[in-house]
Amino acid sequence: VQLQASGGGLVQAGGSLRLSCAASGGTFSTYTMGWLRQAPGKEREFVAAISRLGGSTRYADSVKGRFTISRDNARNTVYLQMNSLKSEDTAIYFCAANQVTGTWSDEYDYWGQGTLVTVSS
């Protein structure tokens, strides 16, 4: 599956952005989808994930209550709605996919190219 992330940009602290990730070349509904991010000088970290049919989600503690992951399997797209953005949310955001079933996995097999989110304080 190929993944193409978009929607990043520059936003003031307290603002919102919605990231999108369009998938192609696979059966989208067979993939668990995730968003991860990498801030300058830091390691990549998990942000959010959603199960294949969208019934289950999980979030990093740092974004819980502010970010919402969703998916539209008819459009082969996963979204990350980011509200109440903080300067520490500045990072390159990557969408990723795996086909692990029955449990959440932090290992992803397919990656998009990343989209930059910059939050100014």
Side-chain angles (χ1 to χ4, degrees), residues 55-72:
S56 298
T57 57
R58 72 178 182 121
Y59 297 92
D61 287 343
S62 59
V63 307
K64 204 170 291 183
R66 300 188 297 122
F67 290 10
T68 302
I69 188 171
S70 62
R71 67 190 296 163
D72 184 341

Side-chain angles (χ1 to χ4, degrees), residues 15-29:
S16 299
L17 276 177
R18 189 176 81 154
L19 305 183
S20 300
C21 176
S24 61
T27 304
F28 186 64
S29 61

Side-chain angles (χ1 to χ4, degrees), residues 93-113:
Y93 284 71
F94 300 89
C95 60
N98 68 45
Q99 291 184 297
V100 176
T101 59
T103 185
W104 293 110
S105 170
D106 290 332
E107 298 296 323
Y108 290 90
D109 302 307
Y110 306 95
W111 293 84
Q113 86 289 1

Side-chain angles (χ1 to χ4, degrees), residues 24-60:
S24 61
T27 304
F28 186 64
S29 61
T30 66
Y31 295 93
T32 295
M33 299 301 297
W35 286 97
L36 299 93
R37 67 187 181 186
Q38 187 165 17
K42 295 187 177 181
E43 293 188 353
R44 188 169 59 203
E45 64 174 359
F46 168 79
V47 175
I50 188 166
S51 60
R52 292 174 295 167
L53 300 183
S56 298
T57 57
R58 72 178 182 121
Y59 297 92

